[in-house]
Amino acid sequence: MDAVRKLGELLIAEGAITQEQLTAAIAEHERTGERLGEILLARRSVSRLNLANAMTEQHTAGRLPTAAPGPSADPGPEPDLASKLAQVDALLARLVLTTGELDERLGALEALIPAISDALR
């Protein structure tokens, strides 16, 4: 299995955050103990979709075969395990889509905040 890449590395590679944003978030994490993803979300450094994508990549790294097994290759996971992995992968894909939809809805709601504030004055 491949080594699991760190969340910050994945977000930088994805172009979702800069090294400076990661460094500042890590400093806050070390100071507060809060999770890195939650810090980045609170600072609006990263979208929920980018975070979900990076976490999905981090979770699935090294699990999927890179080549079809040959006659002398390892046959892969047991059929029941392969079925369960397929279910998990399908759920992760649904989670990413749902997170994207929720991120869009939240953006639309956040855009309404100034108008609501003005109406309440």
Side-chain angles (χ1 to χ4, degrees), residues 22 33 39 54 59 69-70 118 121:
L22 177 60
I39 293 168
H59 176 74
D118 289 345
R121 287 184 198 172

Side-chain angles (χ1 to χ4, degrees), residues 2 63-68:
D2 294 339
R63 284 198 341 197
L64 303 176
T66 56

Side-chain angles (χ1 to χ4, degrees), residues 40-54:
L40 291 167
L41 284 172
R43 291 173 170 232
R44 297 179 185 249
S45 299
V46 67
S47 72
R48 286 172 181 75
L49 180 58
N50 289 125
L51 183 59
N53 285 339

